[in-house]
């Protein structure tokens, strides 16, 4: 009997009449979309290669290249005023049109993955097919299980996640294909295979790390082939019976999946991927960028700060008391975590979406920590504007994301960034597929010394 080939990777079969769009596989959809994108890129290079889209200032060079328009990223565009759009769709748009899980109402990772990868809204049937494919591929190889189990429990969960992801490259389809010799036009197909395999295995890997560190005496459940990716993630963590937490994780992971390409983790995946490193190595590098306090660790810092405020203020929590605590934080030389953004100049639409989720759940509306978050969000912008040292005084997604996890009992702060890491794979990995499909080159910006800059200034 021949081994069963996963439906996702069966070659597209063409009949006299083309298969209905609502039943095409993800691979078939990409095969239709890629030629148009390749032609669009060809025309841009041919007809507009010398068009100027911005200018480089000294402050850009010495300020971390912030704001430079210098990177191609097809999945999303971040507008300072409007916020994020995924192939032109706002977060409310996505909530209206992207299929949820059969047992839920929130966006699921499969729907967002499909949109990010193809620019098209999937049908419910397509998301179910993708859920089934991811569940089939979700188990870890035995050697990776043994590797994770051998790591010291004191090792940071993000370090363990990066180690596990890089070890999975042992089975990289792209690496194997590249070593035997393939055409450049085929790079994207093997990259896609690796990306889907990695996305499928991330929840299992992340859950194993969670159990090893925080629940060593409990046995991790097995994957349920009938659940979506995040439904299984919640199950593997041991929260499968908590429908509200599962729904929150679905929304959280979908909304964190992509936030244009310039953020540190997405950019790192793109940079490493441009060397033709396989997706496992590229994304492990991205995870180590995500682990930095100025990036993915922010949500746990917010929670620590809010809990410290709650402890100090006790039962007398008023807008005036919160204002005093904010000024105390600022005057001590610290920043107020969860406020401001490198690009946004308005409240983060992801924060608004998570707050709207909280408003639909009676237990969250009554939660002391969520009520504190809401009150702080009303007071903090005025204090920060008066303080005068921020370009955006409004809450970002981190202002509430970790606090909801804490309310539902997932209280292990250090683990929060791992959940972020499971999410960010949706955007970073899909863009590796497009980098290979469009034949994007090795990323290699030019660096200058301060002496060289001063010479340019004086010319």
């Amino acid at each position: 009997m021949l081994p069963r080939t996963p439906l996702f990777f069966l070659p597209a079969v063409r009949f006299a009449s083309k298969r209905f769009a609502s039943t095409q596989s993800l691979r078939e959809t990409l095969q239709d979309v890629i030629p148009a994108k390749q032609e669009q890129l060809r025309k841009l290079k041919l007809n507009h290669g010398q068009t100027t889209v911005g200018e480089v200032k000294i402050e850009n060079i010495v300020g971390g290249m912030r704001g430079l328009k210098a990177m191609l990223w097809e999945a999303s565009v971040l507008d300072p005023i409007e916020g994020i759009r995924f192939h032109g769709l706002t977060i409310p748009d996505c909530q209206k049109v992207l299929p949820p899980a059969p047992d839920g109402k929130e966006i699921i990772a499969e729907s967002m993955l499909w949109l990010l990868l193809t620019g098209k809204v999937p049908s419910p049937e397509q998301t179910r097919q993708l859920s089934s494919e991811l569940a089939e591929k979700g188990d870890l190889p035995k050697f990776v299980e043994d590797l994770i189990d051998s790591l010291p429990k004191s090792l940071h969960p993000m370090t363990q996640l990066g180690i596990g992801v890089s070890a999975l490259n042992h089975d990289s389809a792209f690496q194997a294909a590249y070593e035997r010799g393939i055409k450049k036009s085929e790079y994207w197909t093997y990259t896609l295979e690796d990306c889907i395999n990695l996305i499928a295995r991330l929840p299992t890997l992340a859950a194993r790390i969670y159990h090893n560190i925080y629940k060593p005496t409990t046995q991790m459940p097995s994957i349920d082939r009938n659940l979506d990716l995040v439904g299984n993630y919640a199950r593997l963590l041991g929260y499968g019976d908590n429908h509200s937490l599962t729904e929150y994780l679905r929304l959280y992971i979908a909304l964190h999946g992509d936030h244009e390409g310039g953020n540190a983790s997405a950019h790192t995946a793109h940079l490493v991927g441009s060397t033709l490193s396989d997706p496992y190595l590229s994304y492990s590098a991205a995870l180590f960028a995500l682990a930095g306090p100025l990036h993915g660790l922010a949500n746990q810092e917010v929670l620590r700060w809010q809990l410290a405020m709650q402890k100090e203020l006790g039962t007398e929590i008023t807008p005036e008391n919160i204002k005093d605590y904010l000024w105390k934080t600022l005057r001590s030389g610290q920043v107020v975590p969860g406020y401001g953004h490198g690009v946004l100049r308005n409240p983060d639409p992801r924060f608004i979406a998570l707050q709207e989720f909280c408003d639909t759940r009676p237990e969250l509306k009554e939660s002391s920590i969520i009520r504190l978050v809401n009150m702080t969000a009303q007071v903090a912008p005025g204090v920060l504007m008066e303080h005068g040292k921020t370009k955006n005084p409004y809450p970002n997604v981190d202002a509430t994301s970790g606090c909801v996890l804490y309310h539902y009992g997932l209280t292990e702060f250090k683990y929060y960034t791992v959940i972020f890491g499971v999410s960010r794979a949706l955007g970073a990995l899909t863009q590796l597929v497009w980098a290979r499909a469009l034949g994007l080159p090795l990323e290699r910006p030019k660096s200058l010394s301060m002496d060289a800059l001063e010479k340019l200034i004086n010319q």
Side-chain angles (χ1 to χ4, degrees):
M1 183 177 179
L2 291 174
R4 185 166 69 88
T5 302
L7 291 174
F8 184 83
F9 292 107
L10 283 174
V13 179
R14 302 295 176 183
F15 300 96
S17 60
K18 190 175 181 180
R19 184 191 290 200
F20 288 115
S22 62
T23 60
Q24 281 185 317
S25 72
L26 186 54
R27 185 186 184 92
E28 290 172 326
T29 304
L30 271 175
Q31 286 174 325
D32 285 345
V33 171
I34 283 174
K37 288 286 187 180
Q38 290 173 330
E39 178 62 13
Q40 183 182 10
L41 181 62
R42 187 191 71 80
K43 288 181 177 179
L44 277 172
K45 291 193 290 187
L46 178 65
N47 300 325
H48 304 287
Q50 300 304 310
T51 300
T52 300
V53 295
E55 58 183 27
V56 179
K57 302 175 182 177
I58 298 295
E59 67 178 17
N60 301 132
I61 296 173
V62 301
M65 299 189 292
R66 185 160 299 228
L68 288 182
K69 297 179 177 69
M71 185 178 181
L72 182 63
W73 193 266
E74 280 296 291
S76 63
V77 174
L78 182 59
D79 182 86
I81 306 303
E82 288 187 345
I84 194 70
R85 283 180 179 263
F86 308 104
H87 288 288
L89 297 179
T90 64
I91 286 174
D93 292 337
C94 290
Q95 290 176 302
K96 290 177 183 176
V97 301
L98 292 181
D103 64 340
K105 296 180 180 179
E106 302 299 335
I107 306 170
I108 58 173
E110 290 86 339
S111 297
M112 183 58 75
L113 173 61
W114 194 291
L115 175 65
L116 294 176
L117 195 50
T118 70
K120 298 180 180 295
V121 174
S123 67
E125 294 79 12
Q126 288 171 322
T127 60
R128 305 293 176 263
Q129 180 194 39
L130 184 51
S131 291
S132 177
E133 184 69 26
L134 293 173
E136 288 289 336
K137 293 176 174 291
D139 291 321
L140 295 175
K142 181 64 165 57
F143 80 91
V144 174
E145 291 182 343
D146 293 341
L147 172 63
I148 296 300
D149 293 349
S150 72
L151 297 175
K153 306 302 180 280
S154 57
L155 191 62
H156 196 286
M158 281 298 286
T159 308
Q160 296 195 34
L161 186 65
I163 290 171
V165 168
S166 61
L168 283 169
N169 99 308
H170 177 275
D171 300 328
S172 170
F174 176 81
Q175 184 184 66
Y178 187 83
E179 287 178 357
R180 69 173 179 264
I182 55 171
K183 298 177 182 177
K184 288 185 178 180
S185 61
E186 297 176 346
Y187 283 179
W188 75 266
T189 63
Y190 296 97
T191 301
L192 175 64
E193 185 174 349
D194 277 352
C195 290
I196 293 300
N197 285 338
L198 177 51
I199 289 170
R201 289 171 168 176
L202 271 173
T204 316
L205 175 60
R208 195 171 192 92
I209 293 167
Y210 179 80
H211 277 270
N212 283 352
I213 297 175
Y214 303 111
K215 309 285 185 182
T217 61
T218 62
Q219 185 173 0
M220 195 170 87
S222 60
I223 292 173
D224 185 337
R225 305 298 191 222
N226 297 312
L227 288 177
D228 62 290
L229 186 78
V230 179
N232 260 315
Y233 187 26
R235 170 185 167 82
L236 295 172
L237 287 172
Y239 294 90
D241 294 334
N242 190 329
H243 181 74
S244 293
L245 176 59
T246 301
E247 278 285 84
Y248 175 71
L249 283 172
R250 284 169 174 153
L251 179 63
Y252 174 97
I253 287 176
L255 295 186
H256 279 71
D258 197 45
H259 213 233
E260 78 162 15
N263 65 78
S265 54
H267 188 195
T268 300
H270 174 80
L271 172 62
V272 177
S274 78
T275 71
L276 293 187
S277 284
D278 64 66
Y280 301 100
L281 296 181
S282 301
Y283 195 60
S284 66
L287 288 169
F288 294 128
L290 190 66
L294 294 182
H295 194 9
L297 291 189
N299 59 5
Q300 70 184 49
E301 297 306 315
V302 170
L303 181 54
R304 282 197 182 96
W305 180 76
Q306 293 275 203
L307 289 174
M309 182 198 297
Q310 189 178 52
K311 182 178 180 180
E312 180 166 321
L313 300 184
T315 58
E316 297 298 322
I317 298 178
T318 66
E320 281 303 314
N321 286 342
I322 291 175
K323 183 177 181 179
D324 291 342
Y325 193 86
L326 285 161
W327 277 113
K328 177 183 176 181
T329 299
L330 293 168
R331 285 168 180 154
S332 69
Q334 301 176 57
V335 299
V336 175
Y339 287 79
H341 191 274
V343 176
L344 291 173
R345 296 297 174 262
N346 268 337
D348 190 335
R350 298 172 299 171
F351 170 81
I352 295 171
L354 295 186
Q355 287 301 96
E356 289 174 348
F357 176 89
C358 293
D359 290 342
T360 67
R361 306 280 167 169
E363 70 275 13
L364 291 177
K365 291 177 72 173
E366 297 301 318
S367 166
S368 60
I369 190 66
I370 300 302
R371 290 169 65 185
L372 182 59
V373 167
N374 290 338
M375 197 177 296
T376 304
Q378 294 170 17
V379 176
V383 171
L384 291 170
M385 282 190 283
E386 185 179 347
H387 186 249
K389 293 185 179 181
T390 178
K391 294 180 180 179
N392 175 11
Y394 302 107
N396 59 50
V397 68
D398 296 315
T400 192
S401 57
C403 297
V404 179
L405 295 172
Y406 184 85
H407 170 84
Y408 281 128
L410 213 164
T411 59
E412 296 84 7
F413 288 19
K414 285 187 176 181
Y415 188 76
Y416 290 177
T417 313
V418 172
I419 301 173
F420 197 167
V422 172
S423 172
R424 186 46 56 88
L426 301 180
L429 292 176
T430 57
Q431 291 311 288
L432 289 179
V433 176
W434 275 106
R436 306 288 164 83
L438 296 174
L440 299 186
L442 174 69
E443 187 174 292
R444 178 57 167 88
K446 180 75 176 85
S447 64
L448 295 170
S449 68
M450 286 191 286
D451 288 343
L453 288 174
E454 289 174 351
K455 184 177 180 180
L456 284 174
I457 294 167
N458 295 323
Q459 281 181 349

